[in-house]
Amino acid sequence: MKLRAPAPEHFTSRLRGVATTARVGTWLGICFGLCFLTGLVSHYAQNVDQPVPFPTSPAWGYQVTQGLHVISGTAAVPLLLVKLWLVYPRLFQRPPREPRRLPLEALERGSIAVLVASGVFLLASGLMNAAQWYPWEFSFRRTHYAAAWLAIGALLVHIGVKLALVREGWAERPDTEPTEGGGLSRRGLLRTTAAAAGVAVLATAGNTVGWLREVSAFAVRSGEGPQGVPINKSAAAAGVTETATAEDYRLEVAYGATTVSLSREDLLALPQHTEELPIACVEGWSATGAWTGPRVRDLLELVGAPAESTVEVISLQESGPFRASTLQGNFAADDRTLLALALAGEPLDLDHGYPARVIAPNRPGVLQTKWVTRLEVPA
Ligand SMILES: Nc1nc2c(c(=O)[nH]1)N[C@H]1C(S)=C(S)[C@@H](COP(=O)(O)O)O[C@H]1N2
Ligand SMILES: [Mo]
């Protein structure tokens, strides 16, 4: 028997066709577009240099954009699988005979190769990041960001090439005729696909939408942590249990040659303010708490640092990418930006950053540094 590569006509499912492909493709394109835009926001918010400062208001802005990012990315997973199943027979299509059609065909196939590769990489690495599983060596943020540009570029080419076909597909009504043997109809396939995306959304949205928590099986960190806020990294995991509870803990505030050193009692003796602010993790989960402590701007005033100074926030944690963060000038100057000592009316839990942590409005969770020991304004 001779083995032969399959040809498109060997794939006989009548579920395939422009009517189903155009619809699933459009939904997938919307998810990718939303994911791309919200991803740009998140990337920008985490940049140290911001030509235009990331705004501090609304306080819940990042919570919404990053929640949408993870929800639209998760919804894209079943859509991408169905889309690939609908079109993969075309992989076996022979190249066209007329040489003048070759360049367009090459562009089309090349863009699809880039789109599929980067799309699969983005969804897989994003899900793995949300599950805090990093089996790779590279920087997640930089690689995910670079792949996003590849994907969106290839997606625009793909849409350009296929626009006429997409129009045709939407003009055709998906029929309800079952496949051979009483299987799914085209409309049934679309409904099932939409339902799968809906389930994926419900299963992750509880990360950030409180009342959905009960149904969200995939809501990774939706369990109530101490003081009603989930924990990302515990004090034990960060290796700070001893230093954070030591008698000689001090917060240093430094501006040029001026340094003041404050014990937790000293910090408690400063004017205390309470703000309702969310912790919004890049992984998509978020939770709002009532945080209490002195304002960062009041602390800067103690050393005579100008308002709107950029502040380096340094924690007791000795290693790890999130041990320190940069607080941009507009965040440092905002009245709602606190060095929190308490959460929900109780002293901060050790795992939430005792003795002191930064909490600022509209700031990615990853920058809300815990176990803070030094605020430094470069002179
Ligand atoms: N020092 C330090 N601060 C940190 C982290 C960390 O690993 N080390 N994790 C950050 C991340 S990714 C998030 S989402 C928030 C979570 O705060 P929580 O654990 O109090 O909810 O803390 C941030 N602050
Ligand atoms: Mo996070």
Side-chain angles (χ1 to χ4, degrees):
M1 198 178 86
K2 226 170 107 191
L3 277 177
R4 270 200 300 159
E9 57 273 18
H10 295 142
F11 297 88
T12 53
S13 172
R14 61 174 307 282
L15 294 178
R16 296 195 176 97
V18 284
T20 43
T21 306
R23 284 171 175 80
V24 177
T26 303
W27 300 339
L28 185 57
I30 291 170
C31 284
F32 264 59
L34 199 55
C35 230
F36 180 70
L37 294 177
T38 50
L40 288 186
V41 171
S42 182
H43 194 79
Y44 193 81
Q46 290 176 68
N47 279 352
V48 175
D49 291 316
Q50 295 171 344
V52 179
F54 194 75
T56 59
S57 289
W60 42 262
Y62 185 80
Q63 180 178 28
V64 170
T65 60
Q66 195 59 12
L68 277 176
H69 184 71
V70 174
I71 290 170
S72 54
T74 313
V77 173
L79 296 177
L80 180 65
L81 293 176
V82 174
K83 179 71 164 53
L84 289 177
W85 178 81
L86 283 170
V87 296
Y88 88 94
R90 294 182 52 85
L91 270 179
F92 303 105
Q93 200 152 40
R94 300 268 152 73
R97 293 246 164 100
E98 304 98 308
R100 61 187 176 81
R101 280 185 47 207
L102 276 175
L104 190 64
E105 179 85 7
L107 175 71
E108 183 183 340
R109 290 202 180 194
S111 71
I112 290 172
V114 173
L115 182 54
V116 172
S118 56
V120 168
F121 173 79
L122 283 167
L123 297 183
S125 62
L127 285 180
M128 284 152 80
N129 188 62
Q132 295 200 334
W133 180 35
Y134 304 100
W136 51 69
E137 295 284 314
F138 52 80
S139 150
F140 168 77
R141 185 157 83 92
R142 276 183 24 214
T143 322
H144 197 74
Y145 182 70
W149 282 102
L150 284 179
I152 213 71
L155 180 60
L156 291 177
V157 172
H158 187 59
I159 293 172
V161 172
K162 300 288 187 193
L163 200 56
L165 217 50
V166 174
R167 288 231 177 88
E168 198 184 302
W170 273 98
E172 193 178 301
R173 279 177 64 84
D175 57 51
T176 50
E177 193 183 319
T179 40
E180 227 175 294
L184 218 51
S185 67
R186 285 182 175 173
R187 187 168 306 164
L189 173 82
L190 289 169
R191 291 212 168 131
T192 311
T193 306
V199 167
V201 165
L202 282 181
T204 40
N207 269 327
T208 191
V209 184
W211 54 268
L212 274 175
R213 239 156 234 168
E214 307 287 303
V215 296
S216 280
F218 297 166
V220 193
R221 254 159 292 288
S222 65
E224 295 280 290
Q227 302 169 318
V229 176
I231 287 172
N232 167 272
K233 196 181 199 79
S234 68
V240 299
T241 312
E242 260 173 53
T243 45
T245 52
E247 278 288 316
D248 64 354
Y249 163 84
R250 293 291 181 275
L251 173 83
E252 285 181 346
V253 187
Y255 173 52
T258 318
T259 301
V260 301
S261 185
L262 303 158
S263 67
R264 203 178 129 94
E265 285 64 47
D266 298 333
L267 290 168
L268 283 165
L270 295 170
Q272 306 286 302
H273 301 270
T274 297
E275 298 290 344
E276 290 264 342
L277 292 172
I279 289 273
C281 185
V282 296
E283 297 154 16
W285 64 261
S286 62
T288 299
W291 308 86
T292 306
R295 286 180 176 145
V296 166
R297 53 175 291 185
D298 290 348
L299 291 166
L300 297 187
E301 231 173 72
L302 293 180
V303 289
E308 305 260 341
S309 295
T310 302
V311 185
E312 295 302 324
V313 180
I314 298 152
S315 76
L316 294 166
Q317 195 182 336
E318 281 175 7
S319 62
F322 312 143
R323 58 176 295 274
S325 66
T326 301
L327 197 59
Q328 273 80 13
N330 58 326
F331 282 85
D334 196 292
D335 276 353
R336 295 164 296 175
T337 300
L338 305 178
L339 186 75
L341 309 172
L343 171 56
E346 299 160 21
L348 210 53
D349 189 278
L350 184 56
D351 288 332
H352 282 312
Y354 178 95
R357 78 161 318 151
V358 157
I359 185 90
N362 201 26
R363 184 163 160 88
V366 61
L367 305 179
Q368 310 275 34
T369 309
K370 307 195 273 192
W371 313 294
V372 173
T373 189
R374 192 172 159 88
L375 299 176
E376 193 175 299
V377 179

